[in-house]
Amino acid sequence: EAQVTQNPRYLITVTGKKLTVTCSQNMNHEYMSWYRQDPGLGLRQIYYSMNVEVTDKGDVPEGYKVSRKEKRNFPLILESPSPNQTSLYFCASSWGALDEQFFGPGTRLTVL
Amino acid sequence: SQQGEEDPQALSIQEGENATMNCSYKTSINNLQWYRQNSGRGLVHLILIRSNEREKHSGRLRVTLDTSKKSSSLLITASRAADTASYFCATRGNQGGKLIFGQGTELSVKP
């Protein structure tokens, strides 16, 4: 089944404790992206990747890192999480940058 | 920067009625996409309309695009209770890989 998977689905952590949210897609898509969704602010793009080893900042990249060492994986790294990073995070992928996005199920992160 | 703005923010209708949602954006685009999100879940792509297209249909969905007014509308005909969800427009510019979402319209269809 074609899908985008994210892990973990739920995470509660404390300020400053490094964490990684994994994202994997099995559709051989070139484009992958991370978004955060907050009430009243909609979805905002954090980082995106046009292909392996090619990443670029979205609208809200501060406090996040990404890497794209393999085509299928695009982990989101929070080196030192803070409470303002409490949010619902979505990973998405598509064939190319102009195409429809396939979204993962989301990761609900709480930073205390 | 928030490119897409949606109107209305919330819409409540009866089953069988039509629902219309509007999206406005600020800069030139390559395409505009509409997505649906059931509460707290991942977004599902509904329809993509390119900047050189004016109207597109998919089942009960009809999307229009007016690039001169920088606006788009999504019409859901003969709505069902199962259409209850949030609907987002997203715009893709001509350069780079950014996809910018609007804040969404929350649609409630009452049986």
Side-chain angles (χ1 to χ4, degrees), chain B residues 62-107:
Chain B
R62 173 178 166 252
V63 168
T64 60
L65 179 64
D66 187 336
T67 53
S68 66
K69 294 181 180 177
K70 292 187 168 58
S71 67
S72 173
S73 67
L74 170 67
L75 169 67
I76 304 174
T77 59
S79 63
R80 306 165 182 167
D83 294 328
T84 294
S86 293
Y87 292 81
F88 295 88
C89 68
T91 52
R92 180 79 80 188
N94 286 312
Q95 295 179 346
K98 282 189 180 181
L99 183 64
I100 300 175
F101 281 83
Q103 294 188 17
T105 293
E106 199 171 318
L107 174 65

Side-chain angles (χ1 to χ4, degrees), chain B residues 21-36:
Chain B
M21 289 158 265
N22 302 297
C23 169
S24 61
Y25 57 92
K26 295 175 184 171
T27 61
S28 62
I29 61 170
N30 178 283
N31 66 57
L32 186 145
Q33 303 172 27
W34 284 91
Y35 290 83
R36 166 197 168 121

Side-chain angles (χ1 to χ4, degrees), chain A residues 6 34-46 60 64 76 84-91 103-110, chain B residues 2 6 35-44 85-89 101-106:
Chain A
Q6 295 179 227
W34 277 103
Y35 301 88
R36 62 177 288 174
Q37 185 175 28
D38 303 287
L41 296 176
L43 273 91
R44 294 177 292 168
Q45 194 171 34
I46 303 170
V60 288
Y64 304 95
L76 179 70
N84 65 13
Q85 292 178 299
T86 292
S87 187
L88 180 57
Y89 291 86
F90 290 101
C91 179
F103 278 79
T107 295
R108 190 167 291 280
L109 172 66
T110 301
Chain B
Q2 204 71 16
E6 296 185 59
Y35 290 83
R36 166 197 168 121
Q37 182 183 34
N38 288 83
S39 182
R41 295 189 157 188
L43 281 73
V44 174
S86 293
Y87 292 81
F88 295 88
C89 68
F101 281 83
Q103 294 188 17
T105 293
E106 199 171 318

Side-chain angles (χ1 to χ4, degrees), chain A residues 13-19 78-83 85 110-112:
Chain A
T13 188
V14 295
T15 299
K17 187 176 180 181
K18 181 179 178 180
L19 67 92
L78 285 72
E79 295 268 4
S80 182
S82 62
Q85 292 178 299
T110 301
V111 183
L112 302 174

